[in-house]
Amino acid sequence: MTDLGFICTGVRADPRAAGPTLVLRLRITADPGTRVHALALRCQLRLQPARRGYSDAEGARLTDLFGERSRWGTTLNPIEFAQVPVMVPGFTSETEVDVVVPCTYDVDIASARYFRALDEGDVPLLLLFSGTVFSGPAGFQVTPVPWDKEASVGLPVSVWREMMEQHFPGCGWLRLPGDLMDDLLAFRTGRALPSWEATVRTLLDAVEPAGHDGERTAVPTGEGVR
C-alpha cells in the first residue's frame, strides 16, 4: 500500500468564483522517490465546534443548534460541512493541490447557521480522506487511501464573512415552501410592491406598525394582515 500524508497549509476564499467558494491548499506526500501516477481523492470536511470557545452573544445565537450551554457537553457534535472529489495529477514524492469547496448561505443548513452565529476567531475544520492511488515505478499498482488519513486547519470566521459579503452584500437568505412563495408573489403583485424587501416590510408594518419614533409597536388583538 502506498503510504500518503496530508497537510492543509491554508484556506482562502475564491474571489473569481460564481458563488461562495473556499479553496483549501493541500500538501500530499508519499515515500521518497515513490511515483504516484494519479490519485482519485475524496475529501469529507467536518466542522468541530467543541474545539473552540464562544462569547455570550455567540452562545445565545447558537441555542437553536446546540441548546442551552448546560447541554453543550453532549450536543456540541461535529457538523457535516462538505464532501468534494479531487483529482490529483501524477507526482513523485510530494505535490500540492487546491481543494475547491462550494459553500451555501442557506440558513436551513446547519453549517451556514453556525457560521452566521459567530463573530470572530477560527473554526477547527477536519478533513477526512479516502480514494484510490495509482502508483508504481512501471505500470500501475492500485491501492486504496487508508480511512485513517486526515488533516486539520483553522477556518477564520473573517474569511467566511468576507466571502459571503462579496456574493450577498448585506443580505441573508430564507427558504420558504413553494405555495407560500406563490402567496407572497400574489401579495406583492396585487399591491405593486417594487421588491421582496418592500413586501416583507409591508407585512411587518401591518402586524406591528412603526411608531412615531421609528420603533414598531404592537397592534391590538384581532388586527393583522388581510
Side-chain angles (χ1 to χ4, degrees):
M1 182 175 292
T2 304
D3 188 24
L4 298 177
F6 299 89
I7 300 175
C8 188
T9 61
V11 56
R12 60 180 174 83
D14 186 350
R16 296 178 296 277
T21 303
L22 290 173
V23 180
L24 286 72
R25 191 64 176 173
L26 186 65
R27 180 180 300 149
I28 306 172
T29 58
D31 291 332
T34 298
R35 175 61 182 171
V36 175
H37 300 288
L39 172 57
L41 195 64
R42 293 187 296 274
C43 181
Q44 182 185 76
L45 295 89
R46 294 179 183 173
L47 307 177
Q48 297 183 292
R51 295 183 56 188
R52 59 156 284 163
Y54 303 91
S55 67
D56 290 342
E58 290 173 333
R61 292 192 290 267
L62 288 169
T63 300
D64 66 331
L65 275 178
F66 304 121
E68 299 296 332
R69 275 188 186 265
S70 59
R71 299 177 52 209
W72 281 13
T74 57
T75 62
L76 218 60
N77 298 317
I79 298 174
E80 183 80 10
F81 184 45
Q83 294 195 45
V84 294
V86 183
M87 287 302 302
V88 182
F91 66 94
T92 299
S93 301
E94 181 178 309
T95 190
E96 290 195 3
V97 295
D98 287 336
V99 179
V100 179
V101 184
C103 301
T104 179
Y105 202 32
D106 184 346
V107 292
D108 280 346
I109 306 300
S111 59
R113 289 161 62 194
Y114 175 73
F115 275 108
R116 187 173 175 83
L118 303 181
D119 294 321
E120 58 186 4
D122 292 353
V123 174
L125 183 62
L126 179 65
L127 291 74
L128 303 171
F129 301 103
S130 60
T132 305
V133 187
F134 303 88
S135 62
F140 286 99
Q141 178 184 4
V142 181
T143 58
V145 175
W147 284 92
D148 61 348
K149 296 299 181 180
E150 60 184 45
S152 298
V153 68
L155 172 52
V157 174
S158 59
V159 170
W160 176 271
R161 289 189 173 277
E162 290 168 7
M163 175 182 65
M164 291 303 174
E165 187 65 20
Q166 175 188 347
H167 293 277
F168 309 118
C171 297
W173 289 96
L174 183 62
R175 183 167 58 181
L176 299 173
D179 57 345
L180 182 55
M181 282 299 303
D182 291 341
D183 290 343
L184 282 173
L185 180 59
F187 180 87
R188 173 180 172 177
T189 302
R191 289 159 180 76
L193 297 170
S195 65
W196 287 115
E197 179 182 355
T199 303
V200 174
R201 289 192 181 280
T202 299
L203 288 167
L204 289 175
D205 287 341
V207 177
E208 297 181 83
H212 295 296
D213 58 357
E215 296 294 330
R216 297 188 183 280
T217 57
V219 297
T221 303
E223 295 187 17
V225 180
R226 293 182 173 82

